[in-house]
Amino acid sequence: MTLPPNHSASHRFPAGGRAFPHRDLIAIGALERHEILYLLAEAEQYVEFNRQAAKHSDRLAGLTIINAFFENSTRTLLSFEIAGKRLGADVINMHAAQSSVKKGETLIDTAMTLNAMRADAIVIRHGSSGAVGLIASKVDCPVLNAGDGQHEHPTQALLDALALRHKLRELGHQAEDFTGLTVTICGDVLHSRVARSNMLCLQAMGATVRVCAPPSLMPAEVERVGVEVFHDFDAALHGADVVMMLRLQNERMDGQFIPSPREYRHLYGLSPERLALARPEAIVMHPGPMNRGVEIDSTVADLPGRSIITSQVEMGVAMRMACLDVLTRKARGVPGWGVAKGEWV
Amino acid sequence: MKQLRPLSITNGRLVTPQGVVEAPLRCVEGVIVEGDPQVGDDMVDARGQLVVPGLVDLGVFAIDKPAFHFGGITRAALMPDQSPPLDHPALVRFLAQSGKPDLWVHPLAAATQGLAGAQMAELALMRDAGARAVATGRKWIGDSGVMLRLLQYAAMLGMVVVSHAEDAGLAGNAAATAGEMATRLGLPSAPAGAEALAVARDIALAEMSGARLHLRQVTTRAGLELVRAAKARGVAVTAGVTPAHFMLSDLALGDYRTFARLSPPLRCEDDRQAVVEAIGDGTIDVVASGHDPRGPEDKRLPFADAAPGMAGAETLLAMTLTLVRDEEIDMPRAFDLLARNPARLLGVAAGVLAPGMEADLALLDPDTPWVVDSREMAAAAGNTPFDRQPVQGRVTMLWKGGVAIDR
């Protein structure tokens, strides 16, 4: 299968670059609902594309994409690398552990260095909230946020939405968005950038979002973001259509937040019995990596027909291909995508 | 530099604690004197301007003369958070001389050795070397036993203890106040109550010890309530604040602007209003700059990794004048906050236009409009959270001890 011509999404979206008038993808919070839907629509072609035996396109041929990961990552880095390579780009991975960051170079200097190497897109993960936006303000090419501290992880929220929408379609729902759906996000909400991006993305798509965690792992005034706050997991599960579990981010914890993993599981572990409290057919999600036996039991994680955890990984590649495609359209001179300087909003 | 000839400022309006009065002001040998201008005096015509005391800035982190002089500051109390910390008499003696003749630096002695919060520093030796008060530094002293003994000892020496009121256990590595903004930005945050907790303990210990306690920055409604109640009981406690906490709320953190990374962090809008009210009702005694110029190596970083602090000396006066313009306070009260009260806390004969006081003076045009520009500051660095803000009020002339300062 060859890819359809660029800008394949239907006429329901604004023409050309106005469908996604951003140079960078830093935060879901900066996007409008129709822009999120546009990225999801663009990703659909890649879902099909990735399921073929021969899955290589030259769409981004000649472009250099740098994956600059200042924090360890396996799955996100791999997903971005595969996405770039399948589109024919030259992908370079920069690991902070091997970089001059360890030698005391400042983040800005690193950014300037990457910029001077004339990357066509930079994918960045960094341990500090706001760091990716800071780099983006110093470079000339599109920047994709692959996770910044406890702020956002926008491609994760997009791929979760894509995976969820696929599952819903499989179940016979044809709606484009998540209106009427109740999603319960449970786990270490405080330290989770995935939770922040998902709270915003799911709500932008019409879902009702509940968050559930012990008070020590719940961010202050999170209800002001529009979500319902629960501390009792059973209550949070009641009537939920989707259960999204989060990992305990031990590496981000500064002090003791829970007495023990065993106790955490007692209160917040998703067991088959607990899952039964949600709606029948409720969908189970997890951004990975999972701590099996802590926040999620293996039987639930592997539950056929209900768990879409592996589908999330699959959709991740398609979603990131779509993001790289959309953000490099200007550089590639795709008609309607802001040839003139400063045409980005 | 000694004042060689008497100075007479005429036609100006003097800002005194009793009110703004039209009168001449005469200074002889560095001191304000009674009496009318005389033939042979250096004459300065201050028509259309205010004659005000030079500002006494209680709590700066760097000696930054161009910025201080721009802002009308003639005396600055230097925080002990230097490298190395001001915990040794020789350092104090050196720094006490370092600004003369046109700026007087009043070093604040480190309360504990290395500012580590454990072992008391040599306070009496530092007092006799020129330290005007004792300060805990950027941090709170977590150990209540150490704090009580410190307060008792400082009380014996007649030194005010300047404390940073933020409970260390709650504050941790927080870069923001817990709330919607910190949650949206994903910043490490501490509840605003970290301040009230520390204020309550420090007041209780001050009451026990009979010491004079100055809380350098009180920035929350709850903390200010505690100060108000303690004052009503007659506790010898005073409170200060910087303009950031009466001008800005944590909304200024949007976009991760590190110039708004402060310690204590910016609070919610209700707390900001509480600070304005407390300035109005006298709960807050001192407005200081907290001047802490920080260059790009400290500020061009992700928000939580950046060093806290703002370059505040140049904007201190103009920001405080906004409270006068908004009729929260009157002009004499503004200079109580900026000069008279801090001078009293430090025990120096300055900060007020009265006979016998040091002739630290400024001419102020309170209406001159200007725009704060972080790229063109007199300070060693332009890390101001008020960048591009239009303000009014500018110092046009400045004297230290009756001698005009070439700015």
Side-chain angles (χ1 to χ4, degrees):
Chain A
M1 180 184 118
T2 51
L3 284 167
N6 249 320
H7 193 200
S8 58
S10 76
H11 55 274
R12 292 174 299 113
F13 297 103
R18 268 170 294 171
F20 194 79
H22 304 274
R23 192 196 72 171
D24 309 306
L25 178 62
I26 305 294
I28 296 292
L31 302 184
E32 300 289 341
R33 183 188 118 94
H34 68 86
E35 293 164 0
I36 293 170
L37 290 173
Y38 179 73
L39 290 178
L40 295 180
E42 286 292 298
E44 295 290 357
Q45 58 180 314
Y46 293 113
V47 176
E48 294 308 313
F49 180 79
N50 285 337
R51 285 174 178 167
Q52 307 168 104
K55 33 192 171 286
H56 184 86
S57 154
D58 286 328
R59 184 162 280 181
L60 303 193
L63 301 192
T64 303
I65 296 171
I66 301 181
N67 293 325
F69 278 58
F70 296 87
E71 230 185 25
N72 284 334
S73 161
T74 308
R75 58 183 62 217
T76 305
L77 177 59
L78 203 57
S79 181
F80 267 109
E81 184 174 0
I82 291 171
K85 285 186 169 161
R86 283 196 185 156
L87 287 169
D90 298 317
V91 181
I92 293 103
N93 294 335
M94 192 196 93
H95 302 276
Q98 304 159 4
S99 79
S100 50
V101 174
K102 284 258 159 108
K103 301 172 194 158
E105 184 175 80
T106 68
L107 186 59
I108 299 287
D109 285 335
T110 308
M112 302 302 262
T113 305
L114 296 179
N115 195 44
M117 291 174 183
R118 301 211 171 266
D120 297 290
I122 308 180
V123 180
I124 303 168
R125 168 169 287 191
H126 195 281
S128 292
S129 303
V132 177
L134 180 66
I135 295 176
S137 70
K138 305 290 173 189
V139 302
D140 303 318
C141 68
V143 169
L144 286 89
N145 182 2
D148 62 329
Q150 302 167 17
H151 176 222
E152 282 226 36
H153 190 354
T155 57
Q156 179 72 43
L158 292 168
L159 74 87
D160 286 343
L162 188 64
L164 181 55
R165 201 166 72 174
H166 267 250
K167 180 66 187 173
L168 291 171
R169 291 206 170 145
E170 199 184 297
L171 295 173
H173 305 280
Q174 287 310 317
E176 182 183 46
D177 65 6
F178 300 148
T179 303
L181 215 61
T182 298
V183 182
T184 296
I185 302 176
C186 179
D188 184 356
V189 181
L190 178 66
H191 295 103
S192 176
R193 53 197 174 208
V194 175
R196 278 175 183 72
S197 286
N198 260 315
M199 283 189 269
L200 297 170
C201 188
L202 290 165
Q203 288 188 89
M205 292 183 68
T208 299
V209 178
R210 300 171 175 176
V211 291
C212 179
S216 57
L217 293 175
M218 189 70 85
E221 294 183 9
V222 69
E223 68 281 359
R224 305 272 291 254
V225 184
V227 298
E228 295 171 33
V229 177
F230 289 80
H231 301 304
D232 177 350
F233 193 20
D234 293 355
L237 285 169
H238 186 77
D241 299 290
V242 180
V243 186
M244 186 182 286
M245 300 304 293
L246 301 172
R247 182 173 64 90
L248 282 176
Q249 308 226 357
N250 293 307
E251 74 279 9
R252 289 188 206 288
M253 290 187 190
D254 179 16
Q256 195 199 16
F257 288 79
I258 50 156
S260 70
R262 192 168 75 137
E263 178 150 322
Y264 182 81
R265 179 182 183 224
H266 177 64
L267 292 175
Y268 299 102
L270 187 62
S271 59
E273 298 75 34
R274 276 232 169 85
L275 183 60
L277 298 171
R279 296 277 282 271
E281 303 297 311
I283 298 162
V284 176
M285 301 177 76
H286 194 302
M290 286 183 279
N291 292 319
R292 287 174 183 262
V294 182
E295 73 268 7
I296 190 163
D297 283 10
S298 276
T299 46
V300 177
D302 304 329
L303 202 61
R306 305 281 294 277
S307 163
I308 60 167
I309 294 171
T310 49
S311 164
Q312 289 174 267
V313 179
E314 182 195 358
M315 297 298 160
V317 177
M319 197 64 240
R320 284 163 181 138
M321 287 168 82
C323 292
L324 290 170
D325 173 4
V326 168
L327 291 179
T328 56
R329 281 182 191 166
K330 180 178 173 176
R332 291 183 285 124
V334 175
W337 283 80
V339 180
K341 203 174 177 190
E343 203 163 301
W344 278 308
V345 177
Chain B
M1 227 181 299
K2 274 257 178 289
Q3 183 185 356
L4 300 175
R5 292 208 299 176
L7 166 73
S8 283
I9 302 173
T10 57
N11 300 320
R13 287 175 298 140
L14 311 189
V15 177
T16 72
Q18 293 74 40
V20 181
V21 293
E22 286 194 31
L25 186 78
R26 189 159 187 265
C27 315
V28 178
E29 292 181 352
V31 175
I32 299 170
V33 296
E34 274 193 271
D36 290 324
Q38 294 181 13
V39 178
D41 289 1
D42 280 338
M43 292 291 199
V44 172
D45 186 351
R47 194 174 302 274
Q49 303 199 68
L50 295 174
V51 185
V52 300
L55 273 47
V56 182
D57 195 350
L58 208 176
V60 302
F61 292 89
I63 302 172
D64 191 354
K65 228 182 245 189
F68 293 153
H69 285 164
F70 182 100
I73 296 162
T74 47
R75 291 169 186 263
L78 182 67
M79 290 296 283
D81 310 74
Q82 307 295 317
S83 178
L86 300 187
D87 60 358
H88 194 278
L91 285 168
V92 169
R93 193 182 307 278
F94 171 75
L95 284 164
Q97 301 297 323
S98 63
K100 289 182 178 179
D102 53 357
L103 171 76
W104 280 23
V105 175
H106 299 299
L108 301 176
T112 54
Q113 291 172 26
L115 287 171
Q119 310 279 329
M120 223 188 295
E122 296 169 328
L123 302 183
L125 289 174
M126 287 194 278
R127 179 193 65 177
D128 295 345
R132 284 289 174 177
V134 181
T136 64
R138 290 182 196 276
K139 291 199 195 119
W140 193 58
I141 292 180
D143 186 324
S144 303
V146 172
M147 188 64 177
L148 177 61
R149 288 190 292 277
L150 168 73
L151 286 161
Q152 289 168 331
Y153 196 79
M156 173 191 77
L157 298 176
M159 298 172 92
V160 175
V161 174
V162 180
S163 179
H164 179 93
E166 251 188 312
D167 181 88
L170 282 180
N173 295 322
T177 305
E180 183 185 353
M181 204 62 196
T183 291
R184 283 186 185 275
L185 294 173
L187 292 173
S189 63
E195 177 176 285
L197 206 55
V199 168
R201 188 209 68 172
D202 283 359
I203 286 174
L205 294 176
E207 235 170 332
M208 261 183 243
S209 60
R212 284 194 295 155
L213 173 70
H214 177 65
L215 302 161
R216 194 168 64 84
Q217 300 183 81
V218 185
T219 61
T220 61
R221 188 175 288 280
L224 289 162
E225 285 293 347
L226 291 165
V227 173
R228 198 171 282 128
K231 284 186 164 188
R233 286 201 303 279
V235 182
V237 60
T238 49
V241 78
T242 75
H245 286 98
F246 64 72
M247 296 295 293
L248 304 172
S249 70
D250 61 1
L251 288 176
L253 270 52
D255 258 359
Y256 298 99
R257 202 161 158 67
T258 57
F259 289 180
R261 166 106 159 84
L262 303 173
S263 170
L266 289 172
R267 308 300 192 183
C268 68
E269 175 61 17
D270 179 60
D271 284 331
R272 186 193 72 81
Q273 286 172 12
V275 171
V276 174
E277 288 162 25
I279 291 173
D281 72 13
T283 303
I284 285 178
D285 307 274
V286 173
V287 177
S289 74
H291 191 63
D292 195 0
R294 295 275 184 174
E297 40 312 330
D298 287 329
K299 285 291 190 184
R300 242 170 42 153
L301 295 169
F303 192 88
D305 304 339
M310 63 180 265
E314 283 161 85
T315 50
L316 172 62
L317 178 55
M319 292 301 158
T320 308
L321 289 177
T322 63
L323 297 174
V324 178
R325 212 160 290 118
D326 294 346
E327 297 180 352
E328 302 289 348
I329 54 173
D330 61 14
M331 195 61 87
R333 168 91 177 123
F335 284 88
D336 284 355
L337 294 160
L338 292 168
R340 185 180 180 216
N341 294 342
R344 271 190 188 164
L345 277 167
L346 294 168
V348 294
V352 57
L353 300 184
M357 290 289 172
E358 189 92 11
D360 300 348
L361 316 166
L363 288 194
L364 167 66
D365 184 335
D367 299 319
T368 305
W370 57 290
V371 177
V372 182
D373 185 346
S374 68
R375 294 160 305 175
E376 292 183 9
M377 307 252 301
N383 52 315
T384 172
F386 307 118
D387 194 21
R388 291 192 283 277
Q389 189 163 323
V391 291
Q392 275 178 279
R394 192 104 169 215
V395 168
T396 56
M397 281 193 83
L398 190 63
W399 291 267
K400 176 76 195 77
V403 178
I405 295 171
D406 185 15
R407 300 189 303 139

